[in-house]
Amino acid sequence: MSDEQSGPEEPAENISGGTTGGGIETAFEPGEAATRAEAVIDALGELYWRKTYGGQDAFECLVRTILSQNTSDKASQPAHEALMERYGTGDGESEAPHASERTSDDAEPRAGDLVEALAEAHRDELAETISSAGLYNRKSEVMIAAAEEIREEFGSESEFDAFVREEEPGTVRSRLLEIDGVGPKTADCVLLFSGGRSGVFPVDTHVHRIYRRMGIAPPKADHEGVREILEEAVPAEKCGFGHTASIQFGREYCSARKPACLDGPEACPLYDHCERIGVDEIDGEVVDPAETVE
């Protein structure tokens, strides 16, 4: 973090992949905001690190995001590390054994192409490797099928990486969404963390909750509706930061059941930006914003 930046350093582990997950300090400075959404991002910029993203290998980023589905970073990070230890690219100095030549006890790092390694993986072995992530049987099936599909169409991990980084973002997003098990949030995370695309604001459960609770998105807006509003209202260079900082804010202050505002205005640094839709500060009751609309 540069000396000019305020706020704490980036946490060692977060959805961006931590300090080794790609990304550099970004030049944007909080200032006069043109929209409420931009004002929120600027306020988060005073509270948290400010980074721009890009640089992860596209297929590894896809795998990491699949692992994170419906689970916490605390559970998915060890699964990702175990997966990369067993199937990762290694140093490229040795040939990776074919699936038919390996046993379930073979935990040596895989050298070569991660797409190839997972396309040839035994499902039971992969499921065991990522078991800390939850839903590991389904996730192992999704990753193996995705690897087979990507290998067939693109040929290799590097060619898929080039497609994600260089092709028109809408084309990349549409193609990613055709992969079984890949939804909008997963596709957008690949565009952001691998492709480094500006103007991409992935919407997970925290982002979906926060911006409806604030009144920036309609109470009944779905994930895609929230994404469209944010990508329209937030300058492109602030979207990547806005995504990760909003997640951190949701974890620390704006939780689903007990947001910090229940402890008083001074407890939440974004109190003045929020309409607190679905939050009754007097009775202490909290409901999903959608439940406030008949």
Side-chain angles (χ1 to χ4, degrees), residues 178-222:
E178 292 174 357
I179 299 174
D180 181 42
V182 174
K185 178 246 183 177
T186 298
D188 289 335
C189 283
V190 174
L191 279 171
L192 175 61
F193 296 122
S194 176
R197 305 306 181 100
S198 61
V200 178
F201 203 126
V203 174
D204 77 331
T205 184
H206 295 289
V207 174
H208 186 237
R209 175 180 68 255
I210 289 167
Y211 291 94
R212 292 180 303 127
R213 181 177 282 172
M214 286 184 169
I216 288 172
K220 288 191 173 183
D222 61 13

Side-chain angles (χ1 to χ4, degrees), residues 10 12 31 66 86 131 141 151 168 177 181 185 194 211 224 228 247 267 273:
E10 180 181 9
I66 291 171
R86 177 165 253 164
S131 59
E141 291 174 354
R151 179 177 64 176
E168 195 276 326
L177 289 174
K185 178 246 183 177
S194 176
Y211 291 94
E224 282 290 85
E228 291 172 0
I247 292 172
H273 293 278

Side-chain angles (χ1 to χ4, degrees), residues 68-231:
S68 74
Q69 293 172 355
N70 300 300
T71 193
S72 66
D73 283 357
K74 185 177 181 180
S76 65
Q77 183 65 25
H80 176 259
E81 292 171 357
L83 182 147
M84 292 306 296
E85 179 181 356
R86 177 165 253 164
Y87 302 101
T89 55
D91 58 14
E93 294 180 356
S94 61
E95 291 288 329
H98 189 276
S100 62
E101 300 172 338
R102 292 184 293 116
T103 71
S104 59
D105 295 326
D106 180 5
E108 291 299 315
R110 297 290 301 272
D113 189 299
L114 184 61
V115 168
E116 179 71 21
L118 290 189
E120 295 293 334
H122 290 298
R123 190 193 65 79
D124 290 345
E125 179 189 83
L126 178 55
E128 178 188 1
T129 303
I130 65 170
S131 59
S132 68
L135 300 175
Y136 47 87
N137 286 322
R138 170 61 179 160
K139 290 176 181 178
S140 61
E141 291 174 354
V142 167
M143 286 190 287
I144 290 172
E148 291 172 342
E149 185 174 332
I150 289 168
R151 179 177 64 176
E152 180 177 357
E153 179 169 344
F154 298 96
S156 69
E157 182 179 8
S158 62
E159 290 300 318
F160 177 65
D161 192 71
F163 169 75
V164 170
R165 294 175 190 273
E166 299 169 10
E167 188 57 76
E168 195 276 326
T171 300
V172 177
R173 190 174 195 268
S174 295
R175 181 62 190 89
L176 290 172
L177 289 174
E178 292 174 357
I179 299 174
D180 181 42
V182 174
K185 178 246 183 177
T186 298
D188 289 335
C189 283
V190 174
L191 279 171
L192 175 61
F193 296 122
S194 176
R197 305 306 181 100
S198 61
V200 178
F201 203 126
V203 174
D204 77 331
T205 184
H206 295 289
V207 174
H208 186 237
R209 175 180 68 255
I210 289 167
Y211 291 94
R212 292 180 303 127
R213 181 177 282 172
M214 286 184 169
I216 288 172
K220 288 191 173 183
D222 61 13
H223 284 65
E224 282 290 85
V226 173
R227 180 187 67 81
E228 291 172 0
I229 289 168
L230 293 175
E231 290 183 357

